[in-house]
Amino acid sequence: MRKKRTKPKKQNSPLVVGLVCLGLVFGAGMYFTRKPIAKESLPSKSQTITPTGLTDEDILNLPEAKRFALAKPLNRGIADIRIRRYQKSVKKNPKKPDNWVLLGHSWVRKARWTNDEGYYFFADACAKVALKIVPDFGPALNLRALVLFNSHEFDKAIQMAKKAITEDDKDPMAWGTISDAYLEQGKYKQAETAVQKMMDIKPNLPSYSRASYLLWLRGELKGAAKSMEEAF
């Protein structure tokens, strides 16, 4: 009996593989550069501060809180569920600036998912409330910088992020926002310096993806691919 011939399996050419890898690098770089990871900015337990001087009623009656931060979400999506959850938290313990920052990041997610920049006003209101409770509260400064960046006010975003760095020079999100803003302005050297600071502090996916994208822009494709490999 004749043996049935089997067709040899097609192998992807190095060019195709390279293009796929480049696409992944470019996509990840664009995603993480345009949208900094909010998780980086969330306050840790060590950053939690119990303020004094304002009563719960004073805080909840602040114009920013009443008009924007505590506005009722109209839909029932994931972002809206998170907003309601953190609104309950701030009402229960309004003196914790951390809760206001978490609520602010929920409004940022709402703005991104709905592509409605108006919600950044709500996020900024949360940051303002937190800063009235604890002036120069790092996570709140970060939140304001993020809002300014997404509002295309890059110079102001850099200034706000630098202010956060004066409070904590090992703040990875602040360095990430600075890098992103410089990149938007075409100031690549300053962006690279900020990314390097970010990587030195926290070598993770957000920092490596930014570095990868900057390398890709310089035409260093191997370095960009390697940087993405190290991210994972």
Side-chain angles (χ1 to χ4, degrees):
M1 291 181 66
R2 282 186 176 180
K3 287 186 180 180
K4 206 170 185 181
R5 287 187 179 180
T6 57
K7 291 183 179 179
K9 292 182 179 179
K10 287 186 178 180
Q11 294 184 349
N12 293 325
S13 69
L15 177 60
V16 173
V17 174
L19 289 172
V20 171
C21 290
L22 181 58
L24 290 171
V25 170
F26 177 76
M30 281 296 291
Y31 179 83
F32 288 106
T33 302
R34 294 289 303 178
K35 299 182 177 181
I37 302 301
K39 188 177 178 182
E40 296 170 7
S41 65
L42 303 187
S44 63
K45 291 181 180 178
S46 62
Q47 291 173 307
T48 302
I49 301 170
T50 304
T52 57
L54 288 173
T55 66
D56 291 358
E57 189 177 356
D58 289 336
I59 296 167
L60 293 174
N61 282 327
L62 288 170
E64 295 89 349
K66 293 187 76 174
R67 288 187 61 194
F68 295 108
L70 297 176
K72 187 178 179 181
L74 299 178
N75 300 317
R76 296 183 179 180
I78 296 173
D80 301 277
I81 292 169
R82 292 176 68 93
I83 289 167
R84 291 190 187 95
R85 182 194 308 165
Y86 288 122
Q87 284 179 336
K88 287 180 182 178
S89 297
V90 298
K91 288 177 182 177
K92 186 177 179 181
N93 194 351
K95 288 183 181 178
K96 280 189 75 173
D98 311 62
N99 290 340
W100 291 98
V101 173
L102 290 165
L103 175 58
H105 281 289
S106 297
W107 282 115
V108 169
R109 289 188 183 93
K110 174 79 172 175
R112 288 174 178 170
W113 293 352
T114 59
N115 201 27
D116 187 342
E117 293 185 0
Y119 288 116
Y120 288 119
F121 287 105
F122 296 69
D124 196 44
C126 296
K128 287 178 179 177
V129 173
L131 290 169
K132 283 189 177 180
I133 300 168
V134 178
D136 297 327
F137 185 52
L141 294 173
N142 270 330
L143 178 57
R144 288 215 74 191
L146 182 61
V147 169
L148 289 165
F149 173 79
N150 283 285
S151 301
H152 306 286
E153 297 188 54
F154 302 124
D155 285 327
K156 290 182 180 179
I158 291 167
Q159 291 171 12
M160 190 62 64
K162 285 183 176 180
K163 192 175 180 181
I165 288 170
T166 60
E167 298 299 314
D168 179 11
D169 62 352
K170 295 189 181 299
D171 187 331
M173 184 186 177
W175 287 111
T177 301
I178 290 170
S179 174
D180 295 340
Y182 275 136
L183 182 60
E184 289 290 340
Q185 294 177 327
K187 298 176 180 177
Y188 300 114
K189 287 186 178 180
Q190 292 94 322
E192 288 173 3
T193 300
V195 164
Q196 187 58 58
K197 287 275 189 182
M198 188 183 183
M199 290 178 68
D200 292 341
I201 296 164
K202 197 168 186 178
N204 59 359
L205 183 58
S207 57
Y208 274 116
S209 61
R210 283 176 170 89
S212 176
Y213 185 54
L214 285 167
L215 287 167
W216 181 83
L217 287 175
R218 287 195 333 208
E220 298 181 24
L221 304 187
K222 288 184 179 179
K226 186 178 179 182
S227 187
M228 282 305 295
E229 284 176 9
E230 290 181 9
F232 293 98

